[in-house]
Amino acid sequence: MSKKINYISFAREDRKLNNPEVRTDLQEEDLGIKKQIWQSSFNIVSYAIFILNDDQSVLSANKTAEKFFKLPSTEMTGKYCHEILRCKVNPVRQCPCMLAKRSHSRVETEIQMDDEWLQVTVDPVLDASGHYTGAIYSARKVTEQRQAEKALLESENKYHTLFDKMLNGYALHEVIFDENGKPVDYRFLDINPSFENITGFKAGDLLGKTVLEILPDMDPFLIETYGKVALKGEPISLEYHNTMTDNYFIITAYQPKKGQFACIFQTITEQKQAEKSLQEIEQKFRILAENPIVGLFISQDKKIKYANDRFAEMHGYRKEDIIGQPFDVLLHSEDMDALKLEMDELMTMGENFKKRFEMIRVKKNGETFWGGAMMTRGIYNGKPAVMGSIVDILESIRTEEELRKSEEQYKEIVEGTDDLIIKVDHSGHIVFANSMANRIFGLSQDDIIGMHISECIHPDDKDHTRKLIDDTVAKQATSTTFENRQISQKGEIRHLSWTSNFHYDSLGSLTDVTSIARDITRRRKMEEALRKARDDLEQRLRKRTLELEKANEDLHEKTKNLEDVNTALKVVLEKREIDKQEDGERILLNVKELLLPYVNELKQGPLTDNQKDYIELLESGLQEIISPFAQRMTSRYMHITPRELQVANLVKEGKASKEIAEVLHTTERTVVAHRVNLRKKLGLMKKSNLRTHLLSFQ
């Protein structure tokens, strides 16, 4: 602390010495020598240093400060530090000088001045009574270091993002609602192999079953969300974390049919793990960038005449032991001859000449380290001397090597992928594109760089894409997924599926967007072909149904002609029918008087399409109650479900699985599953005919 007080004293005395009226015996030899040591050391350090008064005004500034802030020392003297640093008119509350003044302790921080980043250290100076008398303000540029760290982080981010893309899983579901129309469950109707690979479930274990049967602890939020998609038809895309498996997904859900929803699953577990790794890497870089200290020295007659604590510590000496040591004892044999020549040459240069070196330094115990030195020629005790500063640059060398390896790895993967990868700035202009982007856009690298991304988007998709990006930025979201169409320079239209990562600065402003796109044109064409095939099949089914209805009418006419022949049989059948009718009428009477009036009242009220379907199913079920077939089936097999009874009744009537699926508004695969369950519950062998067996219950 006493040394820092002397700095301020010298600065104040320096101003007195420059005033002819007060120039007195202060120019004594001892004070002159001390002032010379201080002034030489003060000017050769690579840090910009201010000596501040107790009101934060500048008493003195070194040569490096003049270069940093492009102002002569005489012009900076008397100004407040925040004026020189081009801060606000008045210092902000977090001003390091104000913090040091209040806390009476060192304050270290980083600030931005125009395009430069400065690492600032403010040490308060206290008098013998502990009162604040001023401060020593030092700053060094760390812009290159920040850029290197940012480049390394961006490279790691690009490298890990490539693993976020994998084949998507697909699943089709039917939503199950309670009596109030609230989604409470959903049934699996169809899944693809990728879904099996992602979830570990097999189709045979899922189809026809509900999600709560498979996963009783299923998140109710997902059931409710999927229910809204199935009812309203509004697609959604969300990020979901499965806590049971610790996997992350981006789920896109849409409505293929009323009451149904389909999901596309994209696993992003590796991306989340990569983000965690990047946070750890970022933390390590911050640790490396904190609390840098520079070693200072003065060499004269090839011996160390002055060294600060850090210089001695770096070389394994105590400060008092390193003074007087030959300078070359700290040099490695590989660098010794060359550095001696450089220092001899330096002694012939002017005082303002500086030279930078990178060399292997030797500690007292024989260990070595890489040091970066800045040296200049000066005058010490009236004689020429070499003055300089040294920093340990081992970590910088390692960072550069890691950056080089990461860039090589990134380039190898980015240029070898089948996905389009681009990076755009905050205004939407492309600043990077891989070779796949060249092929999809049909442009050379020179033509793509600088082009606005909207130039390749299909006109019908521009507004939608723009709105999606604006909404993402407004929410400060870091990623989103979407699809759109692109038009190449040759007029070719491609469908692309995008995953975009958004990056922001410390103020929350968008800086750039990194995007990966997969060409899904072929998949879209296949989906369109499947849709047309399905429409054609439905049309053929309707035509076949009409033909069957006509054949049924012809059969009914022929049946009438046989009535005269079967008169005797008819008498017996009529008696039997009368008995059946009486029983049915009694049941029907009860149903009509007790149940159907309420059903009719419900039908007269305001109902949604789903509610109308449910009323029709209820009315159909009541009619089935009085059916002898249903009575016999349910009396002998109590465990048959209502849906299985509906399927059995339609099978008995000779309808195929496709026809039954159309009547029950479900999929053919679901009907097949119900038929398999019926055979099991009825105890039928594989070769037994299900319809023949059901007809026996007539």
Side-chain angles (χ1 to χ4, degrees):
M1 187 64 69
S2 61
K3 185 187 298 183
K4 294 175 182 177
I5 293 175
N6 286 339
Y7 284 170
I8 292 183
S9 299
F10 277 129
R12 289 172 176 160
E13 294 300 332
D14 183 48
R15 293 168 64 183
K16 292 180 181 180
L17 290 173
N18 290 330
N19 188 342
E21 297 179 0
V22 296
R23 185 177 298 146
T24 61
D25 294 337
L26 293 177
Q27 294 178 339
E28 295 177 359
E29 181 179 359
D30 184 57
L31 181 60
I33 292 174
K34 291 181 180 179
K35 178 179 179 297
Q36 188 179 42
I37 294 174
W38 173 81
Q39 190 66 45
S40 298
S41 302
F42 188 55
N43 285 323
I44 66 171
V45 295
S46 58
Y47 279 47
I49 299 179
F50 294 136
I51 298 179
L52 305 178
N53 210 338
D54 58 356
D55 62 353
Q56 318 310 324
S57 61
V58 177
L59 291 173
S60 181
N62 68 348
K63 297 293 184 180
T64 306
E66 293 181 344
K67 294 183 178 180
F68 267 31
F69 305 109
K70 298 181 174 58
L71 290 173
S73 177
T74 54
E75 187 174 335
M76 287 188 283
T77 301
K79 286 190 175 183
Y80 294 105
C81 62
H82 63 267
E83 293 179 318
I84 298 174
L85 294 170
R86 298 191 282 280
C87 297
K88 297 181 179 179
V89 177
N90 296 311
V92 296
R93 183 174 178 78
Q94 275 66 37
C95 172
C97 297
M98 300 298 291
L99 292 175
K101 183 175 182 179
R102 288 195 295 267
S103 65
H104 286 195
S105 60
R106 168 179 283 195
V107 175
E108 296 175 327
T109 186
E110 289 186 2
I111 63 174
Q112 186 174 10
M113 188 182 75
D114 299 331
D115 295 332
E116 294 282 357
W117 278 93
L118 302 179
Q119 188 174 63
V120 173
T121 301
V122 180
D123 288 297
V125 178
L126 310 178
D127 59 17
S129 301
H131 295 100
Y132 178 85
T133 62
I136 299 175
Y137 186 108
S138 61
R140 75 182 183 95
K141 294 182 179 180
V142 293
T143 304
E144 292 182 359
Q145 182 177 345
R146 271 181 164 258
Q147 290 173 345
E149 294 172 0
K150 181 179 179 182
L152 179 58
L153 289 176
E154 289 180 351
S155 177
E156 291 288 340
N157 186 37
K158 293 174 183 176
Y159 171 73
H160 288 291
T161 301
L162 294 174
F163 296 98
D164 298 342
K165 295 290 293 179
M166 63 186 297
L167 293 176
N168 297 332
Y170 174 86
L172 179 65
H173 314 82
E174 178 185 58
V175 178
I176 300 173
F177 303 87
D178 64 11
E179 60 274 15
N180 298 319
K182 179 182 177 181
V184 294
D185 203 349
Y186 59 83
R187 181 174 286 104
F188 290 91
L189 301 181
D190 200 5
I191 64 174
N192 71 342
S194 294
F195 182 89
E196 294 179 318
N197 295 334
I198 291 174
T199 63
F201 290 108
K202 299 300 181 182
D205 300 327
L206 296 181
L207 296 184
K209 296 182 181 179
T210 68
V211 70
L212 293 181
E213 290 176 324
I214 306 300
L215 301 170
D217 296 327
M218 184 63 180
D219 191 344
F221 166 77
L222 284 181
I223 297 177
E224 182 179 356
T225 301
Y226 292 150
K228 291 180 181 179
V229 174
L231 284 176
K232 298 182 180 180
E234 297 178 357
I236 62 166
S237 181
L238 55 88
E239 184 174 304
Y240 177 69
H241 178 210
N242 188 329
T243 56
M244 292 183 290
T245 62
D246 198 30
N247 286 326
Y248 292 83
F249 300 94
I250 291 178
I251 304 176
T252 302
Y254 65 95
Q255 181 202 66
K257 185 178 181 181
K258 192 73 171 181
Q260 295 182 359
F261 69 93
C263 285
I264 298 175
F265 294 80
Q266 178 186 359
T267 178
I268 57 170
T269 303
E270 291 185 4
Q271 178 181 341
K272 290 297 181 180
Q273 294 172 347
E275 291 174 355
K276 182 179 179 180
S277 298
L278 286 176
Q279 290 174 357
E280 294 175 354
I281 293 173
E282 182 180 8
Q283 183 179 7
K284 292 177 182 178
F285 280 129
R286 287 179 179 174
I287 293 174
L288 292 174
E290 289 174 357
N291 302 322
I293 303 175
V294 178
L296 303 176
F297 72 92
I298 298 176
S299 173
Q300 191 177 64
D301 299 329
K302 299 183 179 181
K303 291 185 178 182
I304 304 297
K305 295 296 184 180
Y306 168 79
N308 68 351
D309 292 333
R310 177 54 181 156
F311 184 87
E313 178 188 348
M314 291 169 66
H315 295 86
Y317 289 86
R318 293 186 304 172
K319 182 177 179 180
E320 55 268 25
D321 293 336
I322 202 171
I323 302 299
Q325 291 285 345
F327 188 80
D328 57 12
V329 76
L330 307 177
L331 302 178
H332 194 274
S333 57
E334 294 180 2
D335 298 331
M336 189 174 298
D337 293 339
L339 190 59
K340 284 182 177 180
L341 291 175
E342 294 284 358
M343 293 183 70
D344 290 341
E345 181 183 355
L346 191 63
M347 293 298 293
T348 64
M349 300 297 178
E351 291 189 16
N352 294 326
F353 182 78
K354 294 182 179 180
K355 199 154 190 178
R356 193 183 197 90
F357 304 93
E358 288 186 1
M359 69 197 82
I360 301 176
R361 309 289 296 181
V362 179
K363 297 183 179 181
K364 183 178 181 181
N365 61 5
E367 295 179 357
T368 60
F369 68 95
W370 273 96
M374 177 69 74
M375 299 184 188
T376 187
R377 177 182 179 275
I379 301 297
Y380 179 70
N381 287 339
K383 297 171 59 179
V386 174
M387 305 172 183
S389 60
I390 293 181
V391 294
D392 189 337
I393 62 171
L394 176 61
E395 292 302 328
S396 297
I397 294 175
R398 288 177 178 173
T399 299
E400 291 174 359
E401 180 64 18
E402 289 177 4
L403 178 60
R404 183 189 64 78
K405 291 180 180 179
S406 180
E407 288 289 351
E408 290 177 355
Q409 191 175 33
Y410 154 75
K411 184 176 180 180
E412 178 182 350
I413 296 177
V414 165
E415 295 302 331
T417 183
D418 291 333
D419 292 336
L420 174 150
I421 302 176
I422 60 171
K423 181 177 182 179
V424 300
D425 60 20
H426 68 281
S427 62
H429 292 89
I430 299 174
V431 297
F432 170 81
N434 68 345
S435 57
M436 181 55 69
N438 302 148
R439 292 196 289 271
I440 290 179
F441 291 149
L443 294 170
S444 66
Q445 186 76 1
D446 292 339
D447 293 332
I448 290 180
I449 301 303
M451 180 182 71
H452 199 277
I453 187 61
S454 63
E455 294 182 27
C456 289
I457 300 178
H458 192 284
D460 295 341
D461 294 346
K462 286 186 178 181
D463 292 341
H464 169 73
T465 304
R466 180 74 263 175
K467 183 178 183 304
L468 186 144
I469 293 175
D470 290 344
D471 291 345
T472 302
V473 174
K475 297 175 183 177
Q476 291 284 288
T478 57
S479 65
T480 189
T481 58
F482 59 94
E483 294 181 7
N484 65 14
R485 291 169 293 173
Q486 302 286 317
I487 302 180
S488 70
Q489 293 298 309
K490 297 180 181 179
E492 297 176 346
I493 298 177
R494 295 176 182 265
H495 294 261
L496 299 181
S497 175
W498 293 86
T499 297
S500 296
N501 295 316
F502 295 76
H503 307 114
Y504 306 88
D505 60 19
S506 59
L507 300 178
S509 300
L510 181 68
T511 57
D512 55 74
V513 181
T514 303
S515 298
I516 300 176
R518 178 165 293 178
D519 189 344
I520 59 172
T521 305
R522 184 179 179 186
R523 189 179 81 188
R524 282 285 177 261
K525 290 180 179 179
M526 292 177 64
E527 290 174 353
E528 180 64 19
L530 287 173
R531 185 188 64 78
K532 291 181 179 179
R534 185 178 65 249
D535 293 343
D536 180 62
L537 179 59
E538 291 177 352
Q539 184 176 359
R540 291 168 61 189
L541 285 173
R542 287 193 293 270
K543 182 179 179 181
R544 181 57 178 164
T545 301
L546 293 175
E547 292 175 353
L548 291 174
E549 290 176 352
K550 181 64 171 61
N552 190 45
E553 291 176 359
D554 294 342
L555 182 60
H556 183 67
E557 185 65 28
K558 291 179 181 180
T559 302
K560 286 183 178 180
N561 295 333
L562 294 175
E563 289 179 355
D564 294 338
V565 180
N566 296 303
T567 302
L569 180 61
K570 182 177 181 182
V571 173
V572 177
L573 293 176
E574 284 179 351
K575 180 64 173 67
R576 183 182 176 187
E577 190 65 26
I578 290 171
D579 294 338
K580 290 170 57 179
Q581 185 174 357
E582 288 176 353
D583 293 338
E585 286 176 351
R586 283 194 298 271
I587 296 173
L588 182 60
L589 181 61
N590 289 333
V591 171
K592 288 182 177 180
E593 290 180 354
L594 298 178
L595 297 177
L596 290 181
Y598 294 99
V599 173
N600 290 330
E601 287 183 11
L602 289 174
K603 291 172 66 177
Q604 300 304 319
L607 299 174
T608 65
D609 291 341
N610 278 343
Q611 291 171 338
K612 289 179 181 179
D613 291 341
Y614 295 150
I615 292 298
E616 290 177 0
L617 289 173
L618 176 60
E619 189 174 19
S620 174
L622 292 175
Q623 294 296 337
E624 290 177 0
I625 291 175
I626 63 173
S627 169
F629 172 79
Q631 293 176 3
R632 292 185 181 129
M633 283 283 291
T634 55
S635 63
R636 293 179 60 182
Y637 302 98
M638 299 297 292
H639 55 289
I640 291 180
T641 66
R643 177 62 88 179
E644 290 170 347
L645 185 59
Q646 289 178 318
V647 173
N649 192 43
L650 293 172
V651 170
K652 175 179 66 66
E653 293 177 4
K655 294 189 178 296
S657 295
K658 289 184 178 180
E659 295 174 307
I660 295 172
E662 183 177 359
V663 171
L664 297 181
H665 304 290
T666 186
T667 64
E668 183 181 356
R669 179 173 292 186
T670 303
V671 173
V672 172
H674 287 315
R675 294 183 68 148
V676 171
N677 290 336
L678 278 170
R679 295 182 67 89
K680 290 180 180 179
K681 293 178 180 181
L682 295 175
L684 293 181
M685 304 296 290
K686 291 185 178 180
K687 295 183 179 180
S688 300
N689 187 280
L690 177 60
R691 181 169 181 265
T692 302
H693 186 75
L694 294 174
L695 287 172
S696 67
F697 288 93
Q698 290 282 26

